[in-house]
Amino acid sequence: METTPGWRLRTDEGPGSPYRHAAAASDDGPAYRTLTYEVDGRVARLTFNRPEQGNAITPDTPLELAHAVERADLDPRVHVIVLSGRGKGFCGGYDLAASAEHLMEGGMRGADDRTGTVLDPVVQMTNHDPRGTWDPMVDYAMMSRFTKGFASLLHADKPTVAKIHGFCVAGGTDIALHCDQIVIAADAKIGYPPTRVWGVPSAGLWAHRLGDQRAKRLLLTGDTLSGREAAEWGLAIEAPDPAELDERTEVLVQRIAAMPLNQLMMVKLALNSALLAQGVQNSRMISTVFDGISRHTREGYAFQQRAAEAGFRQAVRERDSAPYDDFGPSTNKG
């Protein structure tokens, strides 16, 4: 009878496991509003679940994402965490149709009562009134909480993999770029068009992931990359044909999952130390402040006013018109 080598056992398996007396992990957990959670063998699968809204980010998203990541981190069965999205794309960014069109009516309100805090839409609406005084720290206190939630993917003990299809734009990239590995469909669209007006990527990770020139090439124009280009530029590890995305991601995930968990943790910590030494935390802070500033400039107020008048989609269509002419869910770069 063939015996499984000790280094191939799951973390909670075998007589020498420190987790051997732990109660069997339960898949029962909170009902998330923005994502689903399941464990399949050694893999925790987190899936954004607002397909009708393009999995747009709400105040619940960073809280639930961080909770789900911690849940997977604490589960001795799990060796790797995979993040994906249901519907037509991975994530279309913040639910700006709510914030840009309906901020005055309480848009972007989350599940919990945050009345009177920086997460209260009324507080943010008051701070965004162009007739009043803007307090940048009120804005920072709000936005930094979103980014901290997304950064749980980078700081998790266990490896995180983003599987991207369709589109990953604007705030969606603030999430995906925090993952340790990105696998993206060749025809997907990834980038940060809001740098054209009303946004700076608060994660501050583009230069760290792509280098100075390539990051500037994207963010000085708001241009996007196809998945194939993202892999060529080194932003993604692989860009399979859309029909092969699930299969190719699963190959990578299962190869990671076969590793001993302590090895995965040590490798991730060692490599993260180099990334963090580059100043990721500082980049995040500066970028989050500038993101707030970008929404409180003359141009930022004009964009919000146009979104309130004509609808967010129309405002974005005008933002992405000539000389860009790349509005829509697909990239024109081929």
Side-chain angles (χ1 to χ4, degrees):
M1 181 178 178
E2 188 174 344
T3 303
T4 302
W7 61 89
R8 288 289 174 85
L9 293 173
R10 202 173 61 193
T11 306
D12 62 335
E13 296 175 331
S17 169
Y19 303 103
R20 65 187 182 278
H21 299 305
S26 172
D27 288 322
D28 295 333
Y32 298 120
R33 289 160 59 102
T34 65
L35 56 86
T36 60
Y37 178 98
E38 63 177 324
V39 173
D40 174 17
R42 298 183 178 197
V43 183
R45 303 184 189 275
L46 285 54
T47 310
F48 290 130
N49 194 33
R50 301 181 72 234
E52 294 81 8
Q53 295 80 28
N55 296 317
I57 298 164
T58 75
D60 295 318
T61 306
L63 300 175
E64 294 183 345
L65 180 61
H67 185 281
V69 168
E70 177 69 356
R71 186 174 166 187
D73 249 356
L74 291 175
D75 187 341
R77 298 176 299 170
V78 172
H79 285 217
V80 60
I81 302 167
V82 181
L83 180 63
S84 61
R86 288 192 173 86
K88 294 181 179 180
F90 176 82
C91 178
Y94 285 86
D95 196 343
L96 297 180
S99 62
E101 294 176 22
H102 305 298
L103 187 63
M104 303 297 183
E105 300 141 25
M108 291 288 282
R109 195 177 294 277
D112 297 332
D113 183 10
R114 304 292 185 180
T115 303
T117 73
V118 294
L119 297 179
D120 183 350
V122 175
V123 171
Q124 291 300 323
M125 176 269 291
T126 303
N127 196 43
H128 201 284
D129 187 345
R131 298 166 298 181
T133 300
W134 174 57
D135 185 336
M137 291 298 98
V138 171
D139 199 292
Y140 178 82
M142 180 267 294
M143 279 302 302
S144 64
R145 279 167 171 75
F146 281 88
T147 311
K148 286 176 186 175
F150 305 153
S152 64
L153 293 159
L154 177 65
H155 298 295
D157 294 332
K158 300 171 182 180
T160 55
V161 178
K163 180 176 71 173
I164 296 173
H165 75 290
F167 48 81
C168 175
V169 293
T173 63
D174 288 335
I175 298 173
L177 267 61
H178 277 106
C179 288
D180 300 310
Q181 300 275 270
I182 295 175
V183 183
I184 185 171
D187 67 344
K189 173 180 182 176
I190 185 167
Y192 205 95
T195 57
R196 293 169 181 169
V197 68
W198 220 53
V200 172
S202 61
L205 281 167
W206 284 95
H208 298 282
R209 295 300 194 191
L210 280 177
D212 175 65
Q213 283 205 87
R214 283 182 163 174
K216 287 177 179 175
R217 169 62 185 85
L218 293 180
L219 299 182
L220 293 176
T221 61
D223 287 348
T224 60
L225 298 173
S226 69
R228 185 174 291 106
E229 289 170 321
E232 291 170 354
W233 282 35
L235 185 62
I237 200 66
E238 188 175 351
D241 289 337
E244 299 176 356
L245 176 64
D246 289 345
E247 178 184 354
R248 293 304 305 165
T249 304
E250 200 61 22
V251 167
L252 172 63
V253 167
Q254 293 302 331
R255 290 178 74 86
I256 295 173
M259 295 269 287
L261 179 56
N262 51 25
Q263 289 290 136
L264 294 173
M265 291 176 63
M266 288 186 284
V267 169
K268 178 168 178 173
L269 285 168
L271 296 179
N272 270 5
S273 69
L275 184 63
L276 294 172
Q278 294 175 8
V280 168
Q281 302 276 23
N282 197 45
S283 298
R284 182 186 306 156
M285 178 188 67
I286 293 170
S287 297
T288 301
V289 171
F290 284 162
D291 183 54
I293 293 173
S294 74
R295 286 177 277 108
H296 295 84
T297 62
R298 182 183 63 173
E299 295 83 359
Y301 284 128
F303 179 80
Q304 184 191 353
Q305 184 61 38
R306 182 58 179 159
E309 293 171 350
F312 182 70
R313 287 183 178 275
Q314 179 59 29
V316 169
R317 190 179 298 275
E318 294 171 8
R319 179 198 71 189
D320 296 338
S321 62
Y324 308 110
D325 294 321
D326 56 3
F327 172 80
S330 62
T331 179
N332 65 348
K333 291 178 174 291

